[in-house]
């Protein structure tokens, strides 16, 4: 794997690991799934395939961020708006 891609992969792994701390099913669950996904593709040598996998990981980051924002939004809405209003 090219050194530039290796750095990107490590950065992606660290970002996902950081975001996984607040995963609804737990950090340990997320960490084990993340590790399995990265180990499954550890022997990939094709730079184009690696770039596709990195893009997929970045998509997962965006989905996790959206999940967390939605959870925060729901919590704030629940605090400040009562359910009995029409």
């Amino acid at each position: 794997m090219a050194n530039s891609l290796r750095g990107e992969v490590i950065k992606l792994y660290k970002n996902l690991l950081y975001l996984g701390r607040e995963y609804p099913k737990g950090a340990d669950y997320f960490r084990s799934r993340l590790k399995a996904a990265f180990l499954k593709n550890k022997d990939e040598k094709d730079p184009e395939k690696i770039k596709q996998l990195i893009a997929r990981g970045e998509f997962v980051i965006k989905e996790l961020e959206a999940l967390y924002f939605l959870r925060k939004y729901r919590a704030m809405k629940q605090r400040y708006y009562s359910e009995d209003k029409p």
Side-chain angles (χ1 to χ4, degrees), residues 16-82:
L16 283 167
L17 198 59
Y18 177 77
L19 286 173
R21 294 182 310 153
E22 295 184 29
Y23 193 70
K25 289 189 175 181
D28 291 333
Y29 173 82
F30 187 85
R31 188 180 310 117
S32 65
R33 299 279 307 249
L34 178 65
K35 186 175 181 179
F38 272 77
L39 286 176
K40 183 176 84 174
N41 297 307
K42 73 176 186 171
D43 295 326
E44 189 63 51
K45 302 290 185 208
D46 182 27
E48 291 303 315
K49 177 71 173 168
I50 294 171
K51 288 178 185 177
Q52 289 176 349
L53 292 168
I54 290 172
R56 184 175 178 192
E58 290 171 352
F59 174 76
V60 170
I61 287 176
K62 290 178 185 176
E63 290 293 315
L64 283 171
E65 288 173 344
L67 174 73
Y68 297 154
F69 285 134
L70 181 62
R71 186 171 64 183
K72 286 180 184 179
Y73 169 76
R74 286 180 176 164
M76 293 297 285
K77 186 176 178 185
Q78 187 178 23
R79 283 187 197 137
Y80 295 108
Y81 298 104
S82 63

